[in-house]
Amino acid sequence: MKKWLAIVISALMVTALAGCGNSDSKKAESEGAGSQPDKKTYKIAISQIVEHPSLDATREGFLAALKDAGISEGDNLKVDYKNAQGDSTNNLSIAQTIADDKDDLVLAIATSSAQAIVQKVKDKPVLFAAITDPLDAMLVSNLDKPGGNVSGVSDTNPAAVQKLMDFIASNFPNVKTVGIVLNEGEQNAVVMAKNAEEALGKHNIKVVKAAVTNTSEVKQAAQSLIGRADAIFITLDNTVVSGADTIVQVANENHIPFFSSDRDTVEKGAFATVGFKYFDHGYQVGQMAVDILKNGKNPGDMKVTMQEKLDLILNLKAAAVQGITVTDEMKNEVQDKEQNIIQ
């Protein structure tokens, strides 16, 4: 009897130990499988009208926002970047190629690129950036509730142009006429030029325009303003901004104040603007992209936003070359003096 009982106990112990071994093995297998989850990959198409610092910084800020959210090129993100080199025919061709491709999201940088993308791409999320007036450009019909598959961020705030024109009127009493180099084929440029003209009109300052159709004409247009205008102003006009170096040259040679609508042009040699960093603008659009890709948001339900943080930006080196005396009153209008007074 004792011998039989010992055999039974021994058998039960072996069974229990085997069970524990199987349990531990299954737990280890389960934990091993859980520690290596499948990583989702994303594909994004970017259409950009032309290369220039503001638009490039917009793209860089956009990709930085994705990277900060764990969506990074070379890891789990493929970016199909296409540049139209300022050609409207290229723009439409790029838009059609993107429409035919498989992407998780499309970013359009600048008005004409966005118009082409919105026209062609109907079945995937579309975001726009570097757009002055999304309504006038007919990208969306409502800023608060865009509907459809499109939303984004405007790179302007009507108050920016107003503040810059007020700055000119207050600090440059000898400026009676402002010359605007302008491509009237760019709708965003036309809108901003109109806003500037209305703002200057309140101060009894006249506007004279010098028209261009491509970047190669920008220098000649700027030269045509000498003797007709007391200062030069440019909008967020992609054609003109791409040739801003030549306007800086004309302004410096003729000691005429040059005002722009973007920080990058001030850093290149314009005297002043009221604006922001385009990297931050792109980052803001990138945050919207993260919400779409990771949280399944519908662009049509996402409000179109604009830049709220505006500041006066001054280039003191440009002032010296253009014959401008920078007063303490001018400097005091700059909120972030460390960042926005360029020495």
Side-chain angles (χ1 to χ4, degrees):
M1 182 70 178
K2 289 181 180 179
K3 184 178 180 180
W4 178 85
L5 184 59
I7 293 172
V8 171
I9 291 173
S10 177
L12 288 173
M13 290 178 67
V14 170
T15 301
L17 288 171
C20 288
N22 290 338
S23 176
D24 290 341
S25 176
K26 290 177 181 179
K27 182 179 179 182
E29 289 174 6
S30 175
E31 288 177 347
S35 64
Q36 296 178 344
D38 291 335
K39 179 181 272 190
K40 183 173 181 179
T41 58
Y42 302 89
K43 184 172 183 289
I44 289 176
I46 300 178
S47 176
Q48 182 174 316
I49 181 60
V50 71
E51 292 178 355
H52 72 60
S54 296
L55 302 187
D56 294 341
T58 298
R59 187 179 72 254
E60 291 164 5
F62 175 83
L63 293 174
L66 293 179
K67 185 175 182 179
D68 287 348
I71 303 174
S72 179
E73 274 191 281
D75 183 10
N76 59 342
L77 173 64
K78 180 180 179 181
V79 177
D80 180 18
Y81 168 61
K82 299 182 184 299
N83 191 302
Q85 301 300 331
D87 190 304
S88 58
T89 303
N90 288 346
N91 236 358
L92 289 172
S93 176
I94 287 171
Q96 186 60 61
T97 299
I98 291 174
D100 294 338
D101 209 347
K102 292 183 179 180
D103 301 292
D104 296 298
L105 183 141
V106 180
L107 171 67
I109 302 177
T111 301
S112 54
S113 289
Q115 288 173 324
I117 289 293
V118 169
Q119 178 184 338
K120 298 291 185 181
V121 179
K122 304 293 184 182
D123 60 348
K124 56 191 107 178
V126 171
L127 291 176
F128 55 73
I131 307 295
T132 298
D133 191 337
L135 293 176
D136 196 69
M138 295 186 288
L139 300 177
V140 295
S141 58
N142 187 303
L143 296 179
D144 290 329
K145 297 180 180 179
N149 65 319
V150 181
S151 189
V153 180
S154 171
D155 66 348
T156 191
N157 183 324
V161 172
Q162 178 72 57
K163 288 181 178 181
L164 183 58
M165 299 306 111
D166 289 346
F167 174 78
I168 294 172
S170 298
N171 295 281
F172 293 83
N174 293 328
V175 171
K176 305 299 181 184
T177 303
V178 172
I180 302 179
V181 182
L182 178 70
N183 176 10
E184 294 184 334
E186 287 200 29
Q187 189 60 34
N188 64 311
V190 173
V191 171
M192 290 189 73
K194 181 180 178 182
N195 290 343
E197 187 169 7
E198 290 176 352
L200 289 169
K202 295 176 182 178
H203 300 287
N204 296 316
I205 298 175
K206 296 180 180 179
V207 165
V208 58
K209 298 174 184 176
V212 301
T213 58
N214 59 64
T215 301
S216 66
E217 299 171 355
V218 170
K219 183 176 182 179
Q220 184 177 352
Q223 289 173 328
S224 75
L225 293 172
I226 303 305
R228 297 195 297 147
D230 305 307
I232 298 175
F233 168 67
I234 63 172
T235 69
L236 295 172
D237 183 324
N238 296 305
T239 303
V240 176
V241 172
S242 294
D245 285 338
T246 62
I247 303 179
V248 170
Q249 180 184 346
V250 171
N252 292 349
E253 290 173 352
N254 293 275
H255 306 293
I256 183 169
F258 174 28
F259 302 90
S260 71
S261 295
D262 66 296
R263 180 191 182 92
D264 295 296
T265 301
V266 172
E267 291 179 349
K268 290 169 69 174
F271 167 57
T273 190
V274 172
F276 52 87
K277 290 185 176 181
Y278 267 82
F279 182 92
D280 296 338
H281 170 67
Y283 197 95
Q284 187 172 335
V285 185
Q287 289 176 315
M288 295 178 71
V290 170
D291 224 4
I292 293 168
L293 296 173
K294 286 199 162 187
N295 302 323
K297 285 285 188 71
N298 177 10
D301 297 329
M302 303 175 78
K303 181 179 179 179
V304 175
T305 58
M306 66 175 62
Q307 298 302 312
E308 299 294 345
K309 187 178 179 181
L310 300 173
D311 197 5
L312 178 66
I313 304 166
L314 303 177
N315 184 329
L316 303 190
K317 289 183 179 179
V321 181
Q322 293 167 19
I324 301 167
T325 300
V326 181
T327 64
D328 289 339
E329 287 78 6
M330 290 183 188
K331 293 179 181 179
N332 288 338
E333 290 192 41
V334 181
Q335 299 169 41
D336 187 346
K337 293 178 173 59
E338 183 176 345
Q339 292 293 322
N340 293 332
I341 294 181
I342 302 169
Q343 306 279 355

